[in-house]
Amino acid sequence: MPGATLKWVLPTAAAAEVATGLALVIVPTLVGRLLLGEDFIGIAIPAARVAGIALIALGIACWRGPPMLGMFTYSALVTLYLAYLGLAGGFAGILLWPAVALHAILTALLAGALQEARSRTNGGSS
């Protein structure tokens, strides 16, 4: 029964990715220790958190929402996190602020596209 399997496999895999993503955002060093046998240190911590944000977005796209919702989630969260890194003064390369600006623009465009898709789904009513 392939159809019955598909009903629970994708949501279960998506939930696992969201859980892993949340763990990477909240306690990246613990995930590094448990998964790879080493703590994440230095630049590995923000990289792990960005990967965690990506896993959360992937899980959202595959679980309940349309793929565009997953991309919106990723873009919005990575915009906020990268801006936080730049403002906190920890890590900031030459492309940090252009990346923040690009993701902010993408987030706004995706928000508009999601709103447009929602209004089409609702028969044009807002």
Side-chain angles (χ1 to χ4, degrees):
M1 293 216 158
T5 301
L6 291 178
K7 289 184 181 192
W8 67 267
V9 170
L10 187 58
T12 302
E17 296 306 329
V18 168
T20 303
L22 286 170
L24 279 166
V25 169
I26 297 167
V27 286
T29 55
L30 177 62
V31 174
R33 187 176 325 119
L34 295 174
L35 188 62
L36 303 172
E38 295 286 335
D39 287 348
F40 291 146
I41 57 171
I43 194 66
I45 293 172
R49 286 189 169 133
V50 170
I53 290 168
L55 288 176
I56 292 166
L58 176 66
I60 289 170
C62 293
W63 188 359
R64 295 257 184 231
M68 195 179 319
L69 180 59
M71 186 56 76
F72 169 78
T73 301
Y74 172 76
S75 194
L77 292 177
V78 87
T79 298
L80 294 172
Y81 183 61
L82 291 177
Y84 165 77
L85 287 176
L87 293 172
F91 298 99
I94 192 167
L95 292 179
L96 177 69
W97 290 110
V100 170
L102 176 64
H103 280 287
I105 291 167
L106 288 173
T107 299
L109 292 171
L110 288 163
L114 280 168
Q115 184 63 35
E116 183 180 321
R118 184 175 295 138
S119 68
R120 269 189 274 134
T121 302
N122 294 333
S125 63
S126 295

